[in-house]
Amino acid sequence: MKTNIFLLLTLLTASKGMAQLVNRFHDTKTVDAFFKYSSTRKHPLILAHRGGPGSSDTENSITTFDKTAKVLPDAIIEMDVRMTRDSGFVLLHDATLDRESDAKGPVSEKTLAELRKIKLKTLAGELTNQSMPTFTDILNWNKNRYMLALDVKPGTDPLRVMKEVDKHKAVHSVFVICYSFAEAQRVRDKYPTLWLAVGVNSMADLDKLENHPLASGHLIALTPQKLQPATYYERLHKLGILASVGTYGPGQLDEKPMAEAGAGYRDVVKQGGDILTTDRPQEVASLF
């Protein structure tokens, strides 16, 4: 009996660890299967906004990414990539250092060496001993284990960021958030099988997308936080495009108590949302 219990525990542990194997996302087939639209999908994909920090956590940090990924190995880890004065890449949500660290001023005016010396603050504003990670640090940490959503901020060239991704052989474990159809097409021309995400903010945008080369595949639609008519999501799904819905920010579901917001998250998925982009990934994932 004890042997059987030990064997069961070993199998369960191994099964859980499978989602975190190095080079889990190793080729186009693997990432395509991860994002493939299915009308029978039972659970939405969970995208951890800024890594999913709680009030006592730092955002855009390896500490927080690791914490989220260990609990939700299938979560998408979102991060904000910015370029330094000397063309390095670091992670920070804001254009300036003031809110998130013990330094001040624009990220773009600091060198990589200068930024390595600063310490991060938690969401509650408490100073920590955590250093700001470089984008290279993140790729070395991930080792293609988890899917990373790269919000390449305005002023930072996504193609230059992708050169770093290429260097680490990590093209199949990332997708790039683009700020326009034109920017997305520029990246698509260089990386035909790379998954991209772009805003589809209205029916007019959807009309444009349906006749755009981007609609040929490997695309995620960043849709309005306000729920759209069911036909809107149906049109995206007909193209094989997943709909990502953000639930963070003032007045949104993430700001409400879970007991009150639970039905709202389920309504988003029922209406046609495939990816929930949330500040509280663990709690939201537990609803499904």
Side-chain angles (χ1 to χ4, degrees), residues 63-95:
T63 299
T64 296
F65 295 167
D66 205 43
K67 178 180 176 180
T68 298
K70 284 180 177 177
V71 178
L72 298 175
D74 284 330
I76 300 165
I77 307 296
E78 190 258 1
M79 61 198 63
D80 304 288
V81 185
R82 293 189 179 276
M83 191 165 68
T84 67
R85 192 180 77 198
D86 51 350
S87 301
F89 299 109
V90 293
L91 301 194
L92 202 76
H93 182 272
D94 298 353

Side-chain angles (χ1 to χ4, degrees), residues 48-285:
H49 184 232
R50 298 173 296 172
S55 62
S56 61
D57 299 317
T58 50
E59 56 190 90
N60 278 294
S61 70
I62 289 178
T63 299
T64 296
F65 295 167
D66 205 43
K67 178 180 176 180
T68 298
K70 284 180 177 177
V71 178
L72 298 175
D74 284 330
I76 300 165
I77 307 296
E78 190 258 1
M79 61 198 63
D80 304 288
V81 185
R82 293 189 179 276
M83 191 165 68
T84 67
R85 192 180 77 198
D86 51 350
S87 301
F89 299 109
V90 293
L91 301 194
L92 202 76
H93 182 272
D94 298 353
T96 62
L97 297 157
D98 306 39
R99 179 181 66 86
E100 300 165 76
S101 78
D102 62 353
K104 295 187 180 298
V107 175
S108 61
E109 294 181 3
K110 305 287 186 181
T111 66
L112 195 61
E114 289 171 331
L115 291 170
R116 284 184 180 277
K117 296 176 183 178
I118 76 167
K119 300 301 180 182
L120 297 177
K121 292 180 180 178
T122 67
L123 290 188
E126 297 294 325
L127 188 62
T128 72
N129 286 320
Q130 296 176 40
S131 300
M132 177 187 295
T134 67
F135 184 50
T136 300
D137 292 336
I138 297 303
L139 295 174
N140 287 333
W141 164 81
N142 189 39
K143 297 182 176 65
N144 298 329
R145 293 177 299 163
Y146 309 108
M147 180 54 59
L148 309 181
L150 310 182
D151 187 348
V152 180
K153 291 300 188 182
T156 301
D157 186 348
L159 289 180
R160 294 182 71 169
V161 173
M162 284 305 299
K163 283 185 179 180
E164 188 69 17
V165 173
D166 256 335
K167 190 188 302 182
H168 286 78
K169 296 180 173 57
V171 174
H172 305 298
S173 63
V174 306
F175 72 85
V176 176
I177 296 171
C178 300
Y179 281 78
S180 69
F181 283 16
E183 182 181 69
Q185 187 60 57
R186 178 169 167 262
V187 179
R188 172 58 47 78
D189 290 343
K190 182 70 174 177
Y191 295 91
T193 63
L194 176 68
W195 279 80
L196 304 173
V198 69
V200 184
N201 300 309
S202 64
M203 284 295 187
D205 280 352
L206 183 50
D207 291 340
K208 178 182 177 182
L209 178 62
E210 287 178 326
N211 297 292
H212 198 284
L214 288 169
S216 61
H218 300 99
L219 192 69
I220 296 165
L222 305 177
T223 67
Q225 291 184 300
K226 180 180 179 181
L227 280 184
Q228 302 298 294
T231 53
Y232 169 89
Y233 303 101
E234 290 168 2
R235 288 170 65 183
L236 286 173
H237 293 157
K238 189 175 181 180
L239 297 169
I241 296 173
L242 299 186
S244 176
V245 182
T247 60
Y248 58 90
Q252 300 301 321
L253 290 171
D254 285 358
E255 301 296 313
K256 300 177 181 179
M258 282 301 295
E260 178 185 339
Y265 291 111
R266 294 189 181 99
D267 286 344
V268 171
V269 175
K270 183 178 180 181
Q271 188 77 349
D274 305 290
I275 303 173
L276 296 179
T277 300
T278 173
D279 281 333
R280 47 184 182 189
Q282 295 180 37
E283 295 89 340
V284 173

